[in-house]
Amino acid sequence: MAKRITIDPITRIEGHLRIDVEVDGGKVVNAWSSGQMWRGIEIILKGRDPRDAWAFTQRFCGVCTTVHAMASVRSVENALGMEIPLNAQYVRNIILCAHALHDHMVHFYHLSALDWVDIVSALQADPKKTAELAQSLSHWEGNSVTYFKKVKETLQKFVEKGQIGPFTNGYWGHPQMKLPPEVNLLAVAHYLTALDYQFDANKVVAIFGAKTPHIQTLVVGGVALAINPDNLATLNAERLDYARELLMKVKHFIQEVYLNDVIAVGCLYKDWFKIGRGVTNYLAVPDLPLDTKGTVFDLPGGTIFNGDLSTYTPIKSFNDPYFRDNVTESVAHSWYKDTGPRHPWQGETVPNYTDFNPNGKYSWSKAPRFKGEPMQVGPLAQVLVGIATKHELTMKWVNYAIEKAKALGVNLTVDDLHSTMGRHLARAIRAAMLADLAFKHLNLLEKNIAKGDYAIWNKVEFPAKEIKGVGFHEAPRGTLSHWVVIEKGKIKNYQAVVPSTWNMSPRCEKGKRGPYEESLINNPVVDPEKPLEVLRTIHSFDPCIACAVHLLDAKGKEIKRVKVL
């Protein structure tokens, strides 16, 4: 008889996700993904000035702030048919790259590595052997015996005191933890090192965005970041040089350490390249625009169905009807009064909470669909689209990963990417790509400034008639789109269809599971009391639920009050 397991909350960063699974014969036979809080920002935005929307939407989340700001201003600009100065495009692109580099590092090392790494086992490691292993993977100068010995000694002190801080409550000693002690020590050391490098990436965001989280320099029409190479109060040569220095450090760590760590861990858990396949329909949008009109991009977008790269269909621009006409959201199993499915421009957000019912409504998340089908979004979708289009940087880093894995005795194929471990590898590959692209766009910005072009903003004027726009961004967790309807200069309707909503979606009116749910089917569970394997697959999507779900209960009452002493 199947055993029901409820994990609530499931994430290490955003705790609003509930996963229910039925386990029979050591495998998951059914699954439900449930967002447990309600957002409501869409309602707050009605009647407001569209130029202010980006400041509100950044508050969807304390992690994914920048991405919502970007999608929001793009949606208003798209409705107005605006062009954006090149300097503004490049500044935005650098911010997006740096934000994603920070995000990807944090996800692997600080949010999901502990699903694979046994911290306590690291105490049995030989620092010399760990250094030899690390040096065989890359030439990164930080992989010294002295450093690994110091990390081991520090970890030993924590364990002896019974206080292991962020490593508390892990499934240490779980039978699915299979890394040798030396690899565990390597991962713990790089966990700590990554804290510094993700901070360096965030410094770049702050240079161009004034602060982070919640950047301040975006405006509809461009950026509010004055450029003058000779003025200390503006974006000048000194700040550009500092950004270059920081990006160089981050790039070095990502391409020499992060990517190689993921490959090494993946090869030692190679069976997880066959687990967690789930939905193999993929959606990615083009990003990092290279022109003022947003029609030429550095990253390709499009769809792939049934895992078949030959089905690739491009998404060419913000105005591409292939994207604009085929996105809908279903609420058949969501706590809303709407009947649906609806296109986002006609979307409603009227709460109707009725308790958790696995056969009825069970989530605050809606169920986005593309041409009526569930779609997996995220770095894996972008990498597969890159392979389908033979995108140069994608192919460079995919081939690097395949060759590196082969040297470690594992023959990876593109088909192996449709998996739990494949999502981790795709994210590391994307980070390596973005590290290169951050430099490209910094160079483009400097060259454009050298030509004497200091333009950063174009004037905004709203017509009285109703206009509609969509702004999208390929965020760290996947395809993000904001949909706005404007009338007489005020927001008439606003909907955000976010990456975790695509991936965590409940069943739609056709009964089709969302990507989280489908990926768990046949997932192994060795010990139902310690469902580590469920965490592994869900964490591989990098769930960040605040912007997929909501803030208050259906009656607007306070749900919980936390007092910090």
Side-chain angles (χ1 to χ4, degrees):
M1 185 175 179
K3 180 180 178 63
R4 182 72 170 266
I5 301 172
T6 299
I7 309 172
D8 181 16
I10 195 170
T11 60
R12 288 192 175 93
I13 188 167
E14 291 288 354
H16 322 310
L17 175 63
R18 167 178 170 174
I19 295 291
D20 289 73
V21 294
E22 289 183 352
V23 179
D24 193 3
K27 290 187 176 182
V28 174
V29 295
N30 210 345
W32 295 264
S33 168
S34 174
Q36 288 290 296
M37 298 181 79
W38 181 61
R39 182 173 69 223
I41 292 289
E42 294 92 341
I43 296 174
I44 293 172
L45 285 174
K46 286 187 176 181
R48 294 185 181 273
D49 190 315
R51 291 169 292 189
D52 295 338
W54 70 274
F56 284 86
T57 61
Q58 279 200 97
R59 272 68 187 178
F60 278 150
C61 179
V63 179
C64 319
T65 61
T66 299
V67 300
H68 288 292
M70 204 69 67
S72 182
V73 296
R74 285 175 172 176
S75 70
V76 178
E77 290 161 355
N78 178 251
L80 293 168
M82 294 189 68
E83 292 191 33
I84 309 303
L86 280 177
N87 287 330
Q89 296 284 42
Y90 299 145
V91 166
R92 291 178 179 187
N93 293 343
I94 295 166
I95 290 173
L96 293 176
C97 286
H99 171 79
L101 294 175
H102 145 79
D103 198 287
H104 290 336
M105 280 188 282
V106 169
H107 170 257
F108 178 69
Y109 287 106
H110 309 124
L111 304 181
S112 64
L114 302 187
D115 297 338
W116 311 90
V117 176
D118 191 327
I119 300 299
V120 179
S121 166
L123 296 177
Q124 311 304 317
D126 180 346
K128 182 179 179 181
K129 291 182 179 178
T130 300
E132 291 173 351
L133 170 65
Q135 291 161 12
S136 72
L137 294 173
S138 77
H139 299 295
W140 190 58
E141 62 277 3
N143 290 327
S144 67
V145 178
T146 302
Y147 178 61
F148 290 121
K149 183 179 179 181
K150 182 179 179 181
V151 170
K152 181 180 176 181
E153 291 172 350
T154 301
L155 182 61
Q156 183 72 55
K157 291 177 182 178
F158 280 124
V159 173
E160 288 174 352
K161 292 180 180 179
Q163 299 175 343
I164 53 176
F167 307 135
T168 304
N169 297 328
Y171 290 143
W172 317 133
H174 192 286
Q176 285 279 16
M177 291 284 195
K178 299 179 179 180
L179 295 182
E182 284 71 27
V183 179
N184 285 318
L185 179 57
L186 175 73
V188 173
H190 290 166
Y191 174 109
L192 298 172
T193 304
L195 291 169
D196 292 327
Y197 287 93
Q198 62 84 22
F199 184 45
D200 286 336
N202 259 341
K203 289 178 183 177
V204 177
V205 177
I207 288 171
F208 294 96
K211 65 185 287 286
T212 187
H214 304 121
I215 61 173
Q216 299 294 297
T217 57
L218 269 188
V219 290
V220 173
V223 293
L225 184 65
I227 296 174
N228 186 333
D230 302 316
N231 190 322
L232 293 177
T234 64
L235 182 63
N236 54 35
E238 181 182 7
R239 294 186 186 184
L240 291 170
D241 286 344
Y242 185 42
R244 182 178 296 276
E245 176 187 337
L246 292 168
L247 286 172
M248 180 61 75
K249 290 170 62 179
V250 172
K251 175 182 176 180
H252 191 43
F253 180 79
I254 283 175
Q255 296 178 353
E256 290 287 331
V257 182
Y258 169 32
L259 178 56
N260 289 306
D261 282 353
V262 173
I263 295 169
V265 170
C267 288
L268 290 166
Y269 282 106
K270 62 181 180 180
D271 52 326
W272 282 85
F273 281 110
K274 306 298 181 184
I275 297 170
R277 188 178 183 93
V279 170
T280 56
N281 303 324
Y282 296 95
L283 168 65
V285 287
D287 214 333
L288 306 184
L290 291 164
D291 65 337
T292 60
K293 296 181 179 180
T295 59
V296 182
F297 299 86
D298 241 336
L299 290 174
T303 60
I304 294 169
F305 287 91
N306 300 315
D308 183 354
L309 299 190
S310 69
T311 66
Y312 168 74
T313 302
I315 295 171
K316 298 176 182 178
S317 71
F318 298 104
N319 292 317
D320 193 332
Y322 180 64
F323 180 77
R324 293 163 70 102
D325 296 347
N326 285 307
V327 176
T328 57
E329 288 189 294
S330 170
V331 295
H333 292 274
S334 307
W335 289 312
Y336 299 102
K337 292 182 180 179
D338 195 3
T339 55
R342 288 177 180 261
H343 187 280
W345 280 325
Q346 285 79 48
E348 295 182 358
T349 313
V350 182
N352 184 33
Y353 183 73
T354 57
D355 289 332
F356 187 99
N357 181 354
N359 298 314
K361 293 179 178 287
Y362 60 88
S363 179
W364 281 116
S365 174
K366 295 182 180 181
R369 295 295 184 259
F370 191 89
K371 300 184 75 172
E373 296 295 329
M375 309 294 285
Q376 183 178 157
V377 303
L380 177 54
Q382 187 171 91
V383 167
L384 291 173
V385 164
I387 295 172
T389 58
K390 294 182 171 54
H391 179 249
E392 183 178 353
L393 270 181
T394 303
M395 299 310 298
K396 170 187 172 181
W397 291 108
V398 167
N399 288 333
Y400 174 91
I402 290 173
E403 290 302 314
K404 199 76 174 182
K406 187 176 181 180
L408 295 173
V410 177
N411 293 316
L412 290 181
T413 67
V414 172
D415 191 64
D416 291 324
L417 294 176
H418 305 287
S419 64
T420 297
M421 192 56 72
R423 281 184 281 273
H424 282 293
L425 181 56
R427 189 171 288 104
I429 288 170
R430 182 177 191 261
M433 292 163 48
L434 291 177
D436 287 335
L437 288 170
F439 273 94
K440 175 180 177 179
H441 287 264
L442 180 58
N443 290 335
L444 288 171
L445 175 62
E446 290 181 333
K447 289 179 181 178
N448 201 56
I449 293 172
K451 294 177 182 177
D453 181 358
Y454 297 169
I456 57 171
W457 178 76
N458 287 332
K459 188 177 180 180
V460 179
E461 293 183 359
F462 291 99
K465 66 177 182 179
E466 179 181 286
I467 54 175
K468 300 176 180 179
V470 58
F472 53 61
H473 163 49
E474 191 64 14
R477 289 161 186 84
T479 297
L480 167 66
S481 56
H482 284 218
W483 306 74
V484 65
V485 181
I486 302 169
E487 188 174 53
K488 297 180 181 179
K490 301 294 182 181
I491 294 175
K492 184 177 180 180
N493 197 11
Y494 200 102
Q495 295 289 320
V497 186
V498 309
S500 288
T501 311
W502 283 100
N503 286 333
M504 73 172 289
S505 76
R507 291 155 174 80
C508 61
E509 76 283 356
K510 297 177 183 178
K512 295 184 178 182
R513 298 186 187 95
Y516 285 8
E517 297 175 337
E518 193 64 35
S519 70
L520 289 170
I521 304 303
N522 292 321
N523 210 87
V525 178
V526 173
D527 182 356
E529 300 300 320
K530 297 179 179 180
L532 173 65
E533 302 91 337
V534 174
L535 297 179
R536 283 179 173 176
T537 291
I538 296 300
H539 285 162
S540 72
F541 287 91
D542 190 8
C544 189
I545 309 304
C547 55
V549 294
H550 305 264
L551 295 173
L552 303 173
D553 74 6
K555 296 180 180 179
K557 295 181 179 179
E558 182 181 89
I559 295 174
K560 182 182 292 185
R561 178 172 294 182
V562 179
K563 184 176 182 180
V564 180
L565 298 177

